[in-house]
């Protein structure tokens, strides 16, 4: 919230009670309706400490509030103090702050910035990018932007699933049935189909499994033929993934993978054994975690091959030694909750206190109501199919609403992607949801398209007002106080703009980008209400200038919020 008003309130309360001003800040809130003023303070916690009746305390404080140019009045309502700010000061301060700071409005500089490592996306080589990886990608990308906005240093890591016995199967299948041309034409789908074929043939021919194990052993021993194929599969997959990341505008500071940690395994195992009791069970090396209510952690298979968990232990130590993080965040679906519990428990048992800074940021699963979305083998939803369908449906909506729109195809792609990202962030991460295209694409619903249409409307108002033939206007250049906007719609909108920095901070605190999505929905609704009730472009130049600045500020906050979610809005829609 705007610091100067909150500061003045907390200073006053501090003088009256001799408590530190920071004590009061969490209890100073934006009330739900304008009749209750612009800020309220709930007296319960203070009254409890001072052993006073909250109502009497509220009354006493309201009467003691000194005259101030920033506040018109302060009243008590039951145990609440309600502050009515001077609209001229308030609006000028908020709107001018947004207009001046532009995309930095909402940013802050932590006194002690942290180094935060975020691991996200992490797809598997030679397998299609599915909706789970998509969720991991957009949640990680958004959290990284949110933390950076708060002044932290972030390191984004993509940890590829590029090692393990499945690569033995793939090499075995390719050697038996593979075709180089098919591989080059559509690498990931082709490799995936070979993998599926391997499994179905292995049912009637179990010796295939043995052959596959031999191939993976060859990979571990760096056999040139095995490694060459593995490398080729990896490079072809990465090329395809790169196209996806380009479309999503997602970048990483480090792309590593499980294979990188294969050579760390002997050292990791001896470090584990130096601080923990391991056991051999049916030839495999394990850690018994029964005491902690977990199944045993498998470190090495009976043939000596490392496992997913072992590689994660090695990777975590490497990141800790190399990147000196204050916090590490793994954005991975909730199906791997047990895996991360085991990982962190082992680090804890090894006596590493920094394990408290390791977090698994889990998320639930999404299904589509649309039958078309799960027709390929298995239940997985591939990103490619999802984006294609979304864009196709949005194109139809555009055709109905605005058939003469420029660059229809690109706009439909942007909105199609934005709609899915927004729907993803419409509820808390951990919730499982069922997506229904009719719901998530509806331009009049609580959706991404609704916010994007509103953004385009704000852009269009500004374009019209600033049209060179219509007397140029540059709202961001005119400094100084504005005439106050008195209507409830305007005041509610301005009050909401003020909340933005606070929303970013809570999204970071709870690792929940959905707070920003919900905030943007409310912002869009308040903006539309304002726009329907009031003329922005009009005769009174002072009113027009104040309203244009309000539109500029709203558009800015929408753009910043959308960008924190990884959504790029089209200017026209
Ligand atoms: N590649 C894995 C999968 O697709 C996800 C990796 C998650 N990160 C990790 N450090 N284990 O299931």
């Amino acid at each position: 919230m705007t610091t100067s008003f909150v500061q003045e309130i907390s200073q006053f309360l501090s003088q009256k009670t001799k408590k530190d001003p920071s004590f009061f800040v969490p209890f100073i809130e934006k009330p739900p309706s304008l009749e209750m003023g612009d800020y309220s303070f709930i007296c319960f916690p203070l009254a409890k400490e001072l052993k006073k009746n909250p109502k009497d305390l509220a009354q006493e404080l309201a009467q003691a509030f000194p005259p101030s140019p920033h506040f018109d009045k302060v009243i008590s309502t039951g145990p609440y103090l309600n502050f009515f700010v001077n609209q001229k000061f308030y609006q000028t301060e908020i709107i001018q702050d947004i207009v001046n700071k532009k995309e930095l409005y909402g940013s802050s500089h932590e006194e002690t910035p942290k180094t935060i490592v975020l691991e996200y996306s992490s797809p598997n080589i030679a397998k299609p990018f599915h909706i789970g990886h998509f969720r991991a990608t957009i949640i990680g990308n958004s959290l990284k932007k949110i933390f950076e906005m708060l002044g932290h240093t972030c390191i984004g890591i993509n940890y590829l699933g590029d090692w393990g016995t499945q690569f033995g199967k793939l090499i075995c299948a390719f050697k038996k049935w593979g075709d180089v041309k098919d591989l080059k034409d559509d690498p990931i789908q082709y490799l995936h189909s070979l993998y599926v074929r391997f499994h179905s043939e292995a049912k009637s021919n179990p010796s295939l499994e043995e052959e596959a194990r031999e191939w993976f052993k060859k990979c571990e021993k760096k056999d040139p033929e095995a490694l060459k194929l593995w490398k080729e599969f990896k490079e072809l997959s990465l090329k395809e993934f790169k196209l996806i990341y380009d479309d999503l505008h997602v970048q990483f500071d480090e792309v590593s993978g499980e294979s990188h940690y294969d050579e760390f395994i002997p050292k990791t195992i001896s470090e584990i054994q130096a601080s923990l009791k391991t056991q051999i069970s049916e030839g495999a090396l394990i850690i018994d975690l029964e005491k902690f209510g977990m199944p045993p952690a498998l470190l090495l298979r009976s043939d000596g091959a490392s496992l997913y968990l072992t590689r994660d232990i090695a990777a975590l130590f490497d990141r800790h030694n190399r990147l000196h993080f204050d916090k590490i965040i793994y954005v991975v679906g909730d199906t791997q909750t047990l895996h991360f519990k085991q990982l962190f428990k082992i680090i804890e048992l090894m006596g590493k206190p920094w394990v408290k800074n390791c977090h698994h940021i889990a998320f639930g699963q999404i299904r589509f109501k649309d039958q078309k979305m799960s027709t390929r083998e298995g239940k997985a939803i591939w990103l490619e199919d999802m984006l294609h369908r979304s864009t196709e449906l949005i194109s139809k909506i555009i055709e109905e609403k605005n058939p003469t729109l420029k660059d229809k195809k690109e706009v439909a792609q942007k909105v199609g992607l934005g709609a899915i990202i927004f729907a993803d962030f419409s509820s808390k991460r951990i919730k499982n949801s069922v997506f229904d295209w009719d719901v998530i694409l509806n331009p009049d619903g609580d959706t991404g398209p609704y916010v994007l249409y509103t953004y385009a409307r704000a852009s269009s108002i500004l374009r019209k007002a600033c049209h060179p033939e219509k007397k140029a206007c540059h709202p961001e250049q005119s400094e100084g106080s504005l005439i106050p906007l008195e209507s409830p719609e305007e005041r509610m909108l301005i009050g909401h703009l003020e909340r933005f920095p606070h929303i970013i901070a809570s999204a970071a605190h709870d690792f929940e980008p959905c707070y920003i999505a919900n905030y943007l929905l409310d912002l869009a609704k308040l903006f539309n209400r304002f726009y329907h009730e009031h003329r922005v472009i009009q005769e009174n130049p002072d009113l027009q200038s104040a309203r244009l600045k309000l539109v500029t500020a709203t558009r800015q906050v929408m753009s910043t919020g959308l960008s924190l979610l990884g959504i790029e809005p089209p200017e026209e829609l």
Side-chain angles (χ1 to χ4, degrees):
M1 277 183 272
T2 304
T3 38
S4 57
F5 293 95
V6 175
Q7 241 168 29
E8 195 168 325
I9 297 173
S10 50
Q11 288 293 348
F12 157 72
L13 292 167
S14 156
Q15 271 164 18
K16 292 303 298 170
T17 59
K18 307 279 169 285
K19 288 183 81 65
D20 194 81
S22 63
F23 170 86
F24 303 102
V25 177
F27 306 109
I28 301 173
E29 291 188 332
K30 297 288 295 176
S33 84
L34 290 175
E35 289 83 68
M36 298 172 191
D38 300 281
Y39 298 100
S40 68
F41 173 73
I42 170 111
C43 290
F44 279 122
L46 181 62
K48 202 171 162 201
E49 289 215 6
L50 302 178
K51 300 200 170 52
K52 285 191 174 176
N53 174 309
K55 262 187 178 169
D56 297 346
L57 181 65
Q59 220 168 38
E60 185 190 317
L61 289 169
Q63 276 160 11
F65 196 80
S68 153
H70 301 134
F71 290 89
D72 289 345
K73 63 176 180 184
V74 179
I75 57 169
S76 65
T77 321
Y80 286 95
L81 273 178
N82 296 114
F83 297 84
F84 293 76
V85 300
N86 177 294
Q87 288 301 316
K88 195 173 160 103
F89 273 109
Y90 176 71
Q91 297 184 4
T92 304
E93 177 160 332
I94 294 166
I95 297 178
Q96 199 59 52
D97 198 30
I98 301 172
V99 170
N100 290 347
K101 287 189 180 149
K102 298 199 169 69
E103 67 283 359
L104 294 180
Y105 174 69
S107 65
S108 56
H109 295 283
E110 292 274 323
E111 268 171 38
T112 46
K114 307 255 183 312
T115 299
I116 304 177
V117 171
L118 296 103
E119 194 218 272
Y120 54 100
S121 196
S122 308
N124 300 321
I125 295 304
K127 280 204 186 153
F129 205 94
H130 62 65
I131 191 167
H133 295 127
F134 172 72
R135 295 207 80 192
T137 309
I138 60 166
I139 296 172
N141 180 52
S142 174
L143 289 175
K144 182 168 185 257
K145 286 175 185 237
I146 292 171
F147 288 126
E148 280 171 346
M149 189 87 175
L150 299 180
H152 300 297
T153 303
C154 293
I155 303 169
I157 300 183
N158 191 359
Y159 179 68
L160 302 167
D162 61 356
W163 205 241
T165 44
Q166 69 273 29
F167 291 97
K169 296 178 186 172
L170 211 53
I171 295 174
C172 175
F174 189 76
K175 292 285 296 176
K176 286 198 182 309
W177 315 299
D179 177 276
V180 176
K181 188 175 171 302
D182 289 345
L183 175 68
K184 296 270 149 78
D185 283 352
D186 190 0
I188 295 188
Q189 286 304 340
Y190 182 62
L191 288 170
H192 184 61
S193 67
L194 280 181
Y195 190 68
V196 171
R197 178 165 176 193
F198 178 91
H199 277 277
S200 77
E201 302 230 358
K203 275 189 203 137
S204 52
N205 179 8
S207 71
L208 280 177
E209 297 280 358
E210 190 43 47
E211 272 182 60
R213 262 195 294 277
E214 285 308 315
W215 274 113
F216 184 57
K217 261 197 201 135
K218 284 188 183 175
C219 288
E220 288 183 304
K221 293 201 175 109
K222 310 235 174 334
D223 169 82
E225 187 188 6
L227 272 194
K228 186 170 168 269
L229 281 172
W230 170 81
K231 245 195 197 135
E232 189 170 1
F233 299 163
K234 179 166 170 173
E235 272 159 20
L236 289 169
S237 306
L238 278 178
K239 238 193 205 161
E240 280 196 46
F241 292 156
K242 174 149 187 334
L243 297 178
I244 296 176
Y245 296 132
D246 286 350
D247 280 351
L248 301 181
H249 305 288
V250 167
Q251 284 110 21
F252 301 95
D253 303 293
E254 185 177 311
V255 178
S256 80
E258 294 182 38
S259 65
H260 176 70
Y261 290 100
D262 192 48
E263 58 185 277
F264 290 55
I265 299 299
K267 187 167 164 265
T268 306
I269 295 288
S270 43
E271 275 174 15
I272 296 174
Q273 288 181 322
S275 51
L276 271 188
K277 217 172 111 261
T278 57
Q279 293 171 16
I280 301 286
S281 164
E282 294 171 32
L285 187 70
I286 64 156
I287 302 174
D288 184 358
L289 295 175
E290 203 187 340
K291 262 203 293 211
F292 310 103
M294 287 183 234
L298 230 64
L299 296 177
L300 292 179
R301 295 153 65 105
S302 52
D303 62 4
S306 69
L307 284 119
Y308 181 51
L309 180 61
T310 338
R311 297 190 282 273
D312 252 328
I313 301 172
L316 181 47
F317 274 107
D318 168 57
R319 291 167 186 176
H320 186 257
N321 295 338
R322 199 163 44 85
L323 306 171
H324 310 289
F325 58 75
D326 295 299
K327 206 192 276 252
I328 184 166
I329 287 167
Y330 292 86
V331 184
V332 184
D334 61 0
T335 50
Q336 298 197 22
T337 298
L338 175 63
H339 168 78
F340 284 100
K341 273 196 180 153
Q342 289 183 317
L343 171 64
F344 301 155
K345 182 51 88 185
I346 294 169
I347 307 292
E348 183 193 321
L349 294 174
M350 288 173 77
K352 308 295 175 193
W354 47 264
V355 70
K356 65 175 193 306
N357 305 322
C358 304
H359 306 268
H360 172 210
I361 300 304
F363 53 84
Q365 286 159 47
I366 286 178
R367 283 189 301 113
F368 275 83
K369 232 177 151 188
D370 184 352
Q371 289 303 322
K372 271 197 189 167
M373 293 309 301
S374 46
T375 46
R376 294 206 202 178
E377 351 61 58
K379 280 192 283 147
I381 297 168
W382 309 141
L383 176 64
E384 205 188 324
D385 295 348
M386 193 166 84
L387 289 182
H388 188 239
R389 185 96 177 107
S390 181
T391 305
E392 181 183 74
L393 293 170
I394 283 288
S395 294
K396 282 194 192 142
I397 296 177
I398 293 179
E399 235 18 92
E400 274 164 32
K401 283 179 86 93
N402 187 2
T404 57
L405 179 72
K406 279 189 279 167
D407 307 319
K408 273 191 275 194
K409 206 169 147 229
E410 286 90 85
V411 172
Q413 269 164 357
K414 271 189 190 174
V415 180
L417 172 62
I420 299 177
I421 299 182
F422 199 90
D424 238 289
F425 287 136
S426 294
S427 47
K428 287 197 165 184
R429 278 185 278 113
I430 203 66
K431 256 192 80 186
N432 293 332
S433 348
V434 179
F435 280 6
D436 179 344
W437 289 120
D438 289 340
V439 174
I440 71 171
L441 300 181
N442 180 0
D444 301 315
D446 283 355
T447 62
Y450 175 72
V451 175
L452 294 177
Y453 267 102
T454 309
Y455 175 87
R457 179 166 302 135
S459 299
S460 142
I461 297 169
L462 294 174
R463 262 197 315 275
K464 275 190 199 135
C466 300
H467 195 281
E469 282 170 21
K470 278 213 185 138
K471 207 162 63 162
C473 82
H474 293 285
E476 62 280 8
Q477 281 168 16
S478 62
E479 284 267 347
S481 63
L482 300 165
I483 62 157
L485 297 167
E486 305 282 0
S487 75
E489 295 79 25
E490 289 160 324
R491 287 185 50 194
M492 293 291 280
L493 178 56
I494 297 168
H496 196 65
L497 290 172
E498 187 197 359
R499 284 177 209 218
F500 187 53
H502 175 68
I503 298 292
I504 299 177
S506 13
H509 181 269
D510 295 351
F511 308 110
E512 285 289 6
C514 83
Y515 295 175
I516 294 177
N518 291 335
Y519 170 86
L520 289 177
L521 269 181
D522 289 340
L523 183 62
K525 286 180 194 168
L526 289 168
F527 179 79
N528 285 326
R529 223 170 281 160
F530 150 72
Y531 177 70
H532 285 123
E533 296 294 324
H534 305 281
R535 283 169 60 103
V536 177
I537 298 170
Q538 55 145 302
E539 287 78 58
N540 179 341
D542 292 338
L543 195 53
Q544 167 165 312
S545 155
R547 287 191 177 151
L548 276 176
K549 262 201 180 178
L550 178 56
V551 177
T552 307
T554 307
R555 178 177 169 277
Q556 178 60 64
V557 170
M558 251 180 215
S559 145
T560 311
L562 287 167
S563 129
L564 289 175
L565 299 179
I567 299 176
E568 197 193 334
E571 292 301 317
E572 278 183 65
L573 195 56

